[in-house]
Amino acid sequence: MLRTGNRISFFCLSGNALKIIAAVSMLADHVGFLFFPDIQWLRIVGRLAFPIFAFMIAEGCRYSRNLLRYFLSVFLLGVVCQIVYTIAGSDGRMNVLLTFSLSIALICLLQTAKEREKVIWWLLFGAAIAGCWLLLRTIWVDYGFWGVMTPVFASVFQVRRGSAQSRYDRQTIHVAALGVGLAMLAYALGDIQIYGLLAIPVLLLYSGRRGKWKLKYFFYLFYPLHLAALQVIAWLLT
């Protein structure tokens, strides 16, 4: 809880703080998966990571000045991580950054449809969703089709920076829309994925600010580096 002047604000978590929570959660999840598969609470804590990162992907699309560059940075990093996955002997599943790359592409079409207000763009957006669904019947990406759609749900009511405001462009509505995607994801994946809904109260504390420090590249590097480090430790132990 923060005090601003004479007002008290409960929106106390910056984007950086949310990403740090997600990174710690992801680390706990992967440590549990690789080294302590019988300790379920590590995997449950890990369910917070995807919803938080999915929400921040939607925020990144909203505020990015160059969506193509944003897409390429996430996609190319995903390719690098996939190489690490392959060397480590992965099960053929594409990593979550490639999942989010598809999300960014769909969000770009969604934003264009909302801004241009022409039927053709809505038809293209619908066709892209259908194409994505068909693609993911042959390619296995982390979290599957509903994982791709979760950031898209969070973007449905968002308005791009500099665009005319909407009464639906509110954080609580964005988080609620994300919750719909998380519910569909939990239904599709089952098991402990339902615990991903615990991220919703955390996201409702988001202040809408990035935070003091520029940690963009830290988060870009954390994902592949922690995967590589954990895999090396696993090799040494076995």
Side-chain angles (χ1 to χ4, degrees), residues 76-86 95 97 220 223-224 227:
L76 293 175
L77 185 58
V79 171
V80 172
C81 291
Q82 196 60 41
I83 294 172
V84 176
Y85 265 30
T86 304
N95 68 77
L97 290 175
Y220 279 164
Y223 185 71
L227 284 178

Side-chain angles (χ1 to χ4, degrees), residues 11 15 65 67 90 97 130 137 144-145 158 160 168 193 208:
F11 305 108
R65 294 176 181 173
L67 273 175
S90 73
L97 290 175
R137 291 178 65 85
F145 174 73
Q158 282 184 341
R160 285 272 286 166
Y168 299 110
Q193 193 57 46

Side-chain angles (χ1 to χ4, degrees), residues 87-162:
I87 293 173
S90 73
D91 53 10
R93 174 171 37 187
M94 301 297 173
N95 68 77
V96 73
L97 290 175
L98 297 178
T99 304
F100 285 147
S101 298
L102 291 172
S103 303
I104 294 169
L106 290 177
I107 290 171
C108 182
L109 276 174
L110 172 63
Q111 289 179 351
T112 303
K114 288 193 291 186
E115 290 169 2
R116 301 200 178 182
E117 298 181 344
K118 291 185 177 180
V119 174
I120 184 63
W121 285 103
W122 287 107
L123 291 175
L124 286 173
F125 175 61
I129 292 176
C132 183
W133 181 79
L134 289 172
L135 175 67
L136 297 184
R137 291 178 65 85
T138 57
I139 297 176
W140 186 17
V141 300
D142 215 3
Y143 293 95
F145 174 73
W146 290 111
V148 172
M149 290 302 297
T150 298
V152 181
F153 275 97
S155 299
V156 168
F157 298 104
Q158 282 184 341
V159 174
R160 285 272 286 166
R161 179 178 59 180

Side-chain angles (χ1 to χ4, degrees), residues 2-209:
L2 296 178
R3 183 179 291 276
T4 307
N6 294 323
R7 296 185 305 165
I8 295 177
S9 173
F10 290 90
F11 305 108
C12 55
L13 294 178
S14 66
N16 285 342
L18 284 175
K19 288 179 181 178
I20 289 171
I21 292 171
V24 171
S25 168
M26 180 169 58
L27 179 61
D29 184 40
H30 292 161
V31 167
F33 177 76
L34 284 173
F35 306 112
F36 306 105
D38 295 328
I39 303 179
Q40 193 178 44
W41 68 263
L42 286 171
R43 306 304 312 284
I44 291 173
V45 169
R47 296 312 95 204
L48 296 177
F50 179 81
I52 294 174
F53 280 127
F55 184 80
M56 297 314 296
I57 284 290
E59 285 289 290
C61 289
R62 182 185 190 184
Y63 290 106
S64 176
R65 294 176 181 173
N66 189 326
L67 273 175
L68 177 60
R69 184 172 61 187
Y70 185 47
F71 166 80
L72 288 175
S73 62
V74 175
F75 175 74
L76 293 175
L77 185 58
V79 171
V80 172
C81 291
Q82 196 60 41
I83 294 172
V84 176
Y85 265 30
T86 304
I87 293 173
S90 73
D91 53 10
R93 174 171 37 187
M94 301 297 173
N95 68 77
V96 73
L97 290 175
L98 297 178
T99 304
F100 285 147
S101 298
L102 291 172
S103 303
I104 294 169
L106 290 177
I107 290 171
C108 182
L109 276 174
L110 172 63
Q111 289 179 351
T112 303
K114 288 193 291 186
E115 290 169 2
R116 301 200 178 182
E117 298 181 344
K118 291 185 177 180
V119 174
I120 184 63
W121 285 103
W122 287 107
L123 291 175
L124 286 173
F125 175 61
I129 292 176
C132 183
W133 181 79
L134 289 172
L135 175 67
L136 297 184
R137 291 178 65 85
T138 57
I139 297 176
W140 186 17
V141 300
D142 215 3
Y143 293 95
F145 174 73
W146 290 111
V148 172
M149 290 302 297
T150 298
V152 181
F153 275 97
S155 299
V156 168
F157 298 104
Q158 282 184 341
V159 174
R160 285 272 286 166
R161 179 178 59 180
S163 302
Q165 292 298 306
S166 164
R167 59 176 177 162
Y168 299 110
D169 186 25
R170 297 179 183 176
Q171 181 178 308
T172 51
I173 295 177
H174 303 162
V175 175
L178 179 87
V180 174
L182 293 177
M184 299 301 296
L185 181 62
Y187 178 77
L189 298 184
D191 196 24
I192 60 172
Q193 193 57 46
I194 190 67
Y195 291 103
L197 292 170
L198 294 176
I200 290 177
V202 179
L203 289 170
L204 288 173
L205 298 176
Y206 176 47
S207 66
R209 297 183 176 88

